[in-house]
Amino acid sequence: MVTAEIAVALPALVLVTAFSMWGVTAASVQVACTDAARSGARAAARGEALPAVEAMVVAALPAGAQVDVRRDAAISLVEVSVPVSPPGHTNVLPLTVQAEARAATEPGANATRS
């Protein structure tokens, strides 16, 4: 009788473990996105070239990340979006983890640096 109960419970346990690991992965990607966006916003606010800032942010993120870097005279903004695929070959859509960071643009930083 115990064997039948284990046979029913084991797939459920594997499924719960897999989706729990997906949650942990998503949380880890969220932390990476937030850190990369903050670093990028600070670099853009200092006046770094926007393509260099975008390259720096993309390098710190998992593959498939989308990065948008903008700067005006007042605010430097970095937006990051990364899809996190579910475990295995399921029909569940990937989670999209997003982060945004803003920093006050320093005076004179709006000019493009070489």
Side-chain angles (χ1 to χ4, degrees):
M1 192 59 135
V2 173
T3 305
E5 292 168 350
I6 291 175
V8 171
L10 192 58
L13 181 61
V14 168
L15 185 66
V16 168
T17 302
F19 279 97
S20 297
M21 292 304 295
W22 185 29
V24 169
T25 301
S28 172
V29 170
Q30 178 67 47
V31 169
C33 286
T34 302
D35 288 345
R38 286 179 182 167
S39 295
R42 286 192 302 267
R46 285 192 309 262
E48 299 291 329
L50 296 183
V53 172
E54 185 171 340
M56 176 190 72
V57 172
V58 167
L61 295 172
Q66 295 180 345
V67 177
D68 183 32
V69 180
R70 289 177 276 169
R71 175 176 56 215
D72 61 25
I75 297 290
S76 296
L77 172 69
V78 176
E79 294 174 326
V80 176
S81 176
V82 179
V84 179
S85 299
H89 300 289
T90 61
N91 290 333
V92 179
L93 294 175
L95 293 174
T96 300
V97 176
Q98 298 176 334
E100 178 181 300
R102 299 170 187 256
T105 303
E106 294 180 8
N110 203 21
T112 305
R113 274 191 177 175
S114 313

